């Protein structure tokens, strides 16, 4: 089974900062990777699919890159609404594990 | 607009059973693959089961295989999760989620609000 490893687990940042979260797959998943944002008490929200495609309605300050085993989620100019937990998830092959999550906190 | 509404959660004793439902609206339910994903309190997301649009293909995570059964009724626009032999570690919020189409290589585009299952004596 493919394992997904995210880093860091927690990230402290300020409004306006550029933030990068990494996700590594234990074997190649091509570009079949999604990123989700989750706020406390809410369901996850799809941000990015196929590694770099922005879901409709998602602000352009979010971007994704990578292929194979190494992926990144970048948030340019962090906004107050972006403080949340972010998860990567591979959908190349069953099962479809998520990374353990990265909590973006206010510095 | 797409809506997924879970119901059926609650408090159950270890070894007990519970059936979750997810009612879908705003799209042609029979055109989409569906899944159940759970989140234990304070923990990350765990995918647990998937069903194809026709119901002919079903997968489970090892953690629930043999205890949980996923099913769907396309005439009722509904997804189900029958949970038997429940354990304390099954305590979680259970989300139903819609994939991006009738294809495995699609992300989870839409999620319900979740249904809390608590397994405790």
């Amino acid at each position: 089974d493919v394992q997904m490893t995210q880093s860091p687990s927690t990230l402290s940042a300020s409004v306006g900062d550029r933030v990068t979260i990494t996700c590594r797959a234990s074997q190649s998943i091509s570009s079949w990777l999604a990123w989700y944002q989750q706020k406390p008490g809410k369901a996850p929200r799809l941000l990015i699919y196929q590694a770099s495609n922005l879901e409709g309605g998602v602000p352009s300050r979010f971007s994704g890159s990578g292929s194979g085993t190494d992926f990144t989620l970048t948030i340019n100019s962090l906004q107050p609404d972006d403080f949340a937990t972010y998860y990567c998830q591979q959908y190349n092959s069953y099962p479809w594990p998520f990374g353990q999550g990265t909590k973006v906190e206010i510095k | 607009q797409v809506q997924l509404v879970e119901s059926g959660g609650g408090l159950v004793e270890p070894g007990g059973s519970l059936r979750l439902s997810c009612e879908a609206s705003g799209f042609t339910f029979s055109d989409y693959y569906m899944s159940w994903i759970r989140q234990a309190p304070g923990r990350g997301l765990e995918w647990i089961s998937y069903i194809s649009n026709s119901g002919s293909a079903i997968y489970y995570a090892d953690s629930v295989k043999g205890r949980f059964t996923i099913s769907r009724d396309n005439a009722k626009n509904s997804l189900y999760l029958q949970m038997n032999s429940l354990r304390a570690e099954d305590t979680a919020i259970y989300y139903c989620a819609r994939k991006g189409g009738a294809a495995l290589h699609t992300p989870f585009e839409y999620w319900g609000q979740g249904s809390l299952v608590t397994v405790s004596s």
Side-chain angles (χ1 to χ4, degrees):
Chain A
D1 293 356
V2 178
Q3 310 296 323
M4 306 301 293
T5 304
Q6 267 181 254
S7 61
S9 54
T10 306
L11 189 160
S12 296
S14 302
V15 172
D17 284 354
R18 183 171 185 260
V19 163
T20 298
I21 299 168
T22 64
C23 180
R24 174 165 287 175
S26 59
Q27 61 192 72
S28 177
I29 58 169
S30 185
S31 295
W32 303 116
L33 183 102
W35 290 97
Y36 302 86
Q37 177 193 64
Q38 188 180 33
K39 296 181 179 179
K42 299 292 187 182
R45 170 197 182 193
L46 176 65
L47 296 178
I48 288 170
Y49 62 96
Q50 211 166 330
S52 60
N53 294 294
L54 209 61
E55 177 72 348
V58 175
S60 58
R61 62 181 178 272
F62 290 90
S63 64
S65 64
S67 66
T69 61
D70 294 312
F71 302 86
T72 60
L73 172 70
T74 300
I75 311 172
N76 283 303
S77 189
L78 197 67
Q79 297 300 300
D81 191 48
D82 301 337
F83 292 97
T85 300
Y86 295 84
Y87 295 91
C88 63
Q89 182 240 339
Q90 72 89 11
Y91 52 98
N92 178 63
S93 59
Y94 151 83
W96 298 299
F98 293 83
Q100 74 272 31
T102 296
K103 185 175 182 180
V104 177
E105 297 182 327
I106 300 173
K107 196 174 197 178
Chain B
Q1 73 282 21
V2 172
Q3 280 200 305
L4 299 168
V5 180
E6 300 94 338
S7 60
L11 176 63
V12 60
E13 293 187 346
S17 297
L18 213 54
R19 188 196 197 206
L20 300 181
S21 299
C22 171
E23 186 172 344
S25 60
F27 64 100
T28 305
F29 183 67
S30 58
D31 284 349
Y32 290 86
Y33 293 2
M34 300 292 295
S35 269
W36 288 98
I37 295 156
R38 69 182 179 184
Q39 186 169 37
R43 305 294 297 272
L45 300 167
E46 180 189 15
W47 169 84
I48 57 170
S49 188
Y50 143 90
I51 187 167
S52 64
N53 59 323
S54 66
S56 60
I58 287 173
Y59 297 140
Y60 297 100
D62 288 346
S63 58
V64 305
K65 201 174 294 182
R67 300 187 299 123
F68 289 12
T69 302
I70 191 171
S71 62
R72 65 190 294 161
D73 185 335
N74 287 343
K76 294 183 177 179
N77 292 333
S78 292
L79 176 73
Y80 306 102
L81 186 68
Q82 177 67 44
M83 303 184 292
N84 298 331
S85 303
L86 283 161
R87 307 165 180 166
E89 55 265 35
D90 295 318
T91 294
I93 296 172
Y94 286 73
Y95 296 101
C96 72
R98 193 197 86 172
K99 280 189 136 300
L104 291 176
H105 283 163
T106 55
F108 297 113
E109 282 189 334
Y110 291 95
W111 300 61
Q113 85 288 351
S115 184
L116 177 62
V117 172
T118 302
V119 184
S120 175
S121 54

